[in-house]
Amino acid sequence: VGGLNHFSHLGMMSGFVASKGVPAGKVAIIISGLLIIIGGASIVLGCRPEIGVLCIVVFLVPVLQHAALNIFR
């Protein structure tokens, strides 16, 4: 559901990330939505779950890094 929200609320989310200083916000939202959908589907369906885990990790690393940096500002 989270990945689908990236596409159904693309305009709003891209505006939000642009206000936070993320370069190419719309592209970042599309890529992150695809990573969530592919990762989740892969894990749930059991089809190459190692690729699904990789997609989720690739999505989470920058998100958590950004969150951690904002805590210490």
Side-chain angles (χ1 to χ4, degrees):
V1 176
L4 296 177
N5 285 336
H6 277 66
F7 295 104
S8 62
H9 302 292
L10 183 61
M12 178 187 64
M13 293 181 99
S14 62
F16 175 74
V17 297
S19 73
K20 297 295 182 181
V22 176
K26 191 171 189 176
V27 174
I29 296 297
I30 291 170
I31 291 172
S32 64
L34 287 173
L35 286 170
I36 295 169
I37 291 170
I38 292 169
S42 173
I43 292 169
V44 168
L45 297 174
C47 179
R48 302 291 307 259
E50 64 276 2
I51 292 178
V53 169
L54 179 65
C55 287
I56 299 297
V57 168
V58 167
F59 166 75
L60 283 177
V61 167
V63 170
L64 294 176
Q65 180 183 11
H66 179 72
L69 290 174
N70 283 335
I71 289 173
F72 297 112
R73 284 188 184 172

